[in-house]
Amino acid sequence: MTSTHQQPSPATASTPRVHAAGDQTQVQALARYAARATFGDLSAQSRQQLPVHILDCLGCSIAALGAGPVSACRDQVRDFGGGHGVTLIGGGAANPVYAAFWHTVLVRYVDFMDNFLAPTETCHTADNFGVALTAAHLAGGTGRDLMLGVALGYTVQSRLVDHGNFMTRGFDHTAQLAFSHNAAAGRLLGMTEAQIANAIAMAASSDASFAVIRAKPLSQWKGLASAQSALGAMNALFLARRGVQGPLRVVEGPLGLDHLLGRPLRVDWDAEGYEGVVSSTIKKYNAQIHTQSAVYCMIELAAANHPRLDVAAGFDPRTIVSIGAEVPQITYDFTGGGLYGTEAAVTSKEQADHDLRYLLAVALLDGNVMPAQFTDDRINRPDVQSLLTKVSARPNASYTAQYPRRMPAKITVQLTDGTTLEHEVQDYPGMPSRPFTWNDVVEKFDQLTADRIDSDLANQIKDAVHSLEHIKVTDLMALLARIHVD
């Protein structure tokens, strides 16, 4: 049997040639773009931001270990993921297809990872991390290789969000991962342009996902769908390396993506750089991305009115008559009762972190929105269940016009004594206009991993990521394999 670690063989005689630039299909142009990428193509800003985003991804991954659906996925990997060994976060090994699935489950499940924001679309750019980590490790790569793979995945997915209308046509934002996963992994594994193009074509034509995943009532699949995309993409990738061909006109061909989207999907890949990470947004709070400013606004409002709104200082939340939120249209659509509906009841993590009513209520009561705010006990406690019924949201046209350059929000709290308290913000820490620093992400990582891994191991992981340009991926994986969470 051929080892998965060997260099890919040249394209077989039956593999279609990659056309000259003027004749290329979109997937062929993308494959050319991926195959030519080098670490030297990354700007100084990207090289500074990539370790920040990678540490953020690892903090989210460690925080996910032990969750119920995550444990079910671990059992799935244990039962079906045998074969060529790729070291896993949390210990053990699996074949690269299931390793990519596992690592994508981890980074996504807590729903605290980074995003890319476009006027009507969004995506979780961190959904690319697990595949890049797996492929870089499988290839015996360096930290620079991992950084390049992350940069590639982030850029491809975000450009497709920028140029497409996937979600408004009923596709989920995991649909673009068929393109970005195989672009990044194909490049890290040294595959040819033809092989990468065929892998993308196969995955894109067969692994499309639907936006109903985000509709109310939300299920656990909301946090696992991107891992299914990773599973399909990696399977297609290795089939392409063996010479299997895909529909290269999956975008512009009859009944292809152009037809489904109702407009041409065209990205000039020859003109693109690899700067997706610098336009990606890191979450400050463990809440749906479009709620970040509203949550930030609520917490600032409470802090500005301390101790008057401080429950710990004796404030009685029953004296609140109403909490009103003005937000951009996209925030309202995803979490405020708009396009994706309203939860009849908020009783689970998946429902709570996508419900603006719960998020604003718990932010006022607890002064933060972190994983601790999404335990079953916290979600179903009477104080927050009562308060969330007093929260309402409405879209603000001016805020919508400023999005995604800004994400304004305004919170108005009315009390039984007639007092009205208001606060407005324009954005929140973590947006590209206010990017996280290394110190910011270290603080978030420490919050996510406290009481889950010992401080010595946590410090070693942080040091490794901070020095990523100078280490091998195997060095980082050896540390991540030492993590054990019950």
Side-chain angles (χ1 to χ4, degrees):
M1 179 178 289
T2 303
S3 167
T4 57
H5 290 274
Q6 75 172 41
Q7 288 298 311
S9 58
T12 63
S14 61
T15 303
R17 69 182 180 91
V18 175
H19 299 179
D23 295 333
Q24 287 183 325
T25 67
Q26 275 289 291
V27 296
Q28 288 173 316
L30 174 54
R32 176 188 177 101
Y33 162 84
R36 69 173 167 83
T38 68
F39 186 78
D41 294 324
L42 303 180
S43 69
Q45 187 180 6
S46 278
R47 288 170 60 173
Q48 180 184 54
Q49 279 294 304
L50 280 161
V52 172
H53 285 257
I54 288 171
L55 187 65
D56 189 62
C57 289
L58 290 175
C60 294
S61 299
I62 294 168
L65 288 164
V70 173
S71 296
C73 291
R74 182 58 190 251
D75 291 342
Q76 189 93 334
V77 173
R78 185 178 294 112
D79 287 347
F80 303 112
H84 303 287
V86 173
T87 302
L88 302 178
I89 297 174
N95 66 53
V97 175
Y98 269 92
F101 168 81
W102 171 244
H103 291 146
T104 308
V105 166
L106 291 184
V107 75
R108 176 65 180 85
Y109 182 72
V110 178
D111 205 355
F112 207 171
M113 68 297 190
D114 55 31
N115 293 71
F116 173 75
L117 304 174
T120 61
E121 308 274 314
T122 187
C123 69
H124 291 290
T125 37
D127 280 340
N128 293 282
F129 174 71
V131 166
L133 179 68
T134 300
H137 181 38
L138 180 65
T142 64
R144 288 186 170 199
D145 292 324
L146 173 58
M147 292 169 69
L148 178 62
V150 171
L152 251 173
Y154 275 45
T155 305
V156 172
Q157 190 183 21
S158 58
R159 292 293 74 78
L160 291 171
V161 170
D162 250 346
H163 288 77
N165 58 328
F166 285 80
M167 297 197 79
T168 54
R169 296 293 288 191
F171 291 99
D172 189 44
H173 55 59
T174 55
Q176 302 97 334
L177 295 174
F179 297 83
S180 57
H181 280 168
N182 281 329
R187 167 61 185 85
L188 293 176
L189 294 173
M191 290 170 58
T192 66
E193 289 181 33
Q195 291 167 334
I196 296 172
N198 279 296
I200 293 170
M202 287 187 280
S205 60
S206 298
D207 294 327
S209 49
F210 302 136
V212 69
I213 294 168
R214 315 291 151 191
K216 309 302 189 311
L218 283 163
S219 71
Q220 293 174 338
W221 196 242
K222 182 262 291 184
L224 303 176
S226 58
Q228 183 72 16
S229 298
L231 194 73
M234 291 294 277
N235 189 57
L237 187 76
F238 291 114
L239 287 172
R241 194 164 77 167
R242 295 178 187 276
V244 179
Q245 301 170 14
L248 296 176
R249 289 173 53 79
V250 64
V251 175
E252 53 274 273
L255 303 181
L257 264 176
D258 285 351
H259 168 77
L260 295 172
L261 298 180
R263 73 186 203 195
L265 178 64
R266 297 293 180 271
V267 180
D268 184 0
W269 293 110
D270 285 336
E272 284 291 338
Y274 303 91
E275 300 297 294
V277 72
V278 302
S279 59
S280 187
T281 296
I282 290 180
K283 289 184 178 181
K284 181 174 177 62
Y285 304 105
N286 192 181
Q288 198 270 354
I289 186 63
H290 301 105
T291 68
Q292 296 288 308
S293 284
V295 171
Y296 180 55
C297 188
M298 173 60 83
I299 291 173
E300 283 212 326
L301 175 63
N305 290 276
H306 179 82
R308 183 169 190 171
L309 292 181
D310 188 345
V311 175
F315 171 67
D316 185 354
R318 291 175 298 182
T319 62
I320 294 176
V321 175
S322 65
I323 298 174
E326 294 182 44
V327 293
Q329 182 70 45
I330 197 165
T331 306
Y332 179 71
D333 282 343
F334 272 102
T335 67
L339 179 64
Y340 287 87
T342 304
E343 296 284 4
V346 180
T347 60
S348 70
K349 173 199 175 299
E350 288 76 19
Q351 295 166 341
D353 68 17
H354 271 54
D355 193 293
L356 189 60
R357 298 169 303 166
Y358 177 83
L359 294 170
L360 295 180
V362 82
L364 178 59
L365 293 170
D366 294 3
N368 209 347
V369 180
M370 296 293 284
Q373 276 65 54
F374 296 102
T375 64
D376 287 344
D377 173 69
R378 184 66 194 102
I379 293 169
N380 292 287
R381 209 174 298 164
D383 62 343
V384 72
Q385 287 290 324
S386 174
L387 185 56
L388 72 83
T389 64
K390 301 178 181 182
V391 180
S392 63
R394 66 181 180 90
N396 179 304
S398 173
Y399 294 173
T400 301
Q402 296 177 62
Y403 176 87
R405 182 175 53 88
R406 292 180 175 178
M407 194 190 291
K410 181 179 179 180
I411 302 296
T412 303
V413 177
Q414 293 186 338
L415 304 177
T416 53
D417 65 2
T419 301
T420 298
L421 305 171
E422 290 186 346
H423 186 53
E424 182 179 40
V425 299
Q426 297 301 310
D427 56 15
Y428 68 92
M431 290 191 74
S433 57
R434 300 174 66 181
F436 261 35
T437 65
W438 178 255
N439 289 337
D440 291 332
V441 80
V442 164
E443 180 182 355
K444 179 178 172 181
F445 179 87
D446 289 342
Q447 287 180 300
L448 285 170
T449 61
D451 302 324
R452 301 182 71 79
I453 60 176
D454 67 71
S455 59
D456 183 55
L457 179 56
N459 288 334
Q460 290 181 61
I461 292 170
K462 287 181 285 188
D463 289 344
V465 176
H466 199 232
S467 305
L468 203 53
E469 288 195 39
H470 310 291
I471 66 170
K472 295 183 72 66
V473 175
T474 52
D475 300 327
L476 176 61
M477 293 308 301
L479 296 172
L480 300 177
R482 288 167 49 191
I483 299 169
H484 294 288
V485 176
D486 185 1

